Amino acid sequence: MRSKDNVMLRTAPFATPPAAAPRDKLARLEARGTAMQQVSEPSLPITLAAGAVAVLDAAEPARKVALSRALAARWRTGGMPIGQAQPPPRPARPVRPLLLPPRDMPKRRHGGSLAGRIALLHALAHIELNAIDLAWDILARWSTAGLPPAFFADWLGVAAEEAEHFALLASRLEALGSAYGELPAHDGLWEAAQATAHDLIARLAVVPLVLEARGLDVTPEMIRRLERAGDPDSALILERIYADEIGHVAVGARWFELLCRAQLLDPEATFHDRVRRHFAGALKPPFNDDARRRAGLPAGDYRALACAP
Ligand SMILES: [Fe+2]
Ligand SMILES: [Fe+2]
């Protein structure tokens, strides 16, 4: 599966085995994902907002992950002011994967064959790489909006988890004999960010509350499919991602509600308005009502925007 000219990806240390044997399987997979490049402390940007721009400007996925980890670690020690910065219009991307318009993407194979599982994990890794940038874009873009430190702490937590999701999937692709970058990927994922760059309430409505919530609807079936295909390691990674993503939707729901209340806007009516204006198409049932409820997403918000099943 490897392309000969893909030197960066061949040397990216996503799949280095852990030095010591962790106790359980997910710990082993997480340790694999953790063994990547490190960022030295003195080379880190001084503010969180400048750090966010550094992640967005980094083209290599391993660099985005390493910076995300180092910035989250610095923030947790209390040693990082928020600062102010302007994000780039689009995040930097590696040379591979080839980015294609959605209509030109090859049809995803849904079987449990090795090629089908690699195609699924590759598509998910690409979504997670975009998710890293989406979280950092929020941190940079609204660094000038006078939001409280809890807002930045929440989105930094999301960014750090997205980096782990990408690292786990990239590591798993390598374990299966492939690598992130070896298949073409969808170039439409940044559209939601561009459509909502002017309005944080719209960004929260469309990104965590529509797109990430959609992930909650479809992931349990993907996990079952991987288990049926005899691939428990990939299923375990998706279980970890699924649990974290409930938290990401919850962060989105909490700040959406808080910002609506602060501007004396009705949250349900505002959600409907922003989604209709900035998200093309209706929401697709069936919904995972249980996971959505755990994330604090009111059913009235999304059911009114659903297309017919
Ligand atoms: Fe994620
Ligand atoms: Fe997420």
Side-chain angles (χ1 to χ4, degrees), residues 5 23 42 68 71-72 87 93 95 132 156 179 193 204 239 242 244 246 262-263:
D5 54 340
R23 277 180 309 190
S68 298
L71 290 163
R93 285 278 172 265
V95 177
I132 297 172
L156 179 60
L204 297 177
E239 275 174 23
Y242 177 65
D244 288 348
I246 293 175
Q263 295 180 33

Side-chain angles (χ1 to χ4, degrees), residues 234-245:
S234 299
L236 213 53
I237 290 170
L238 263 62
E239 275 174 23
R240 146 94 199 254
I241 292 174
Y242 177 65
D244 288 348
E245 294 297 338

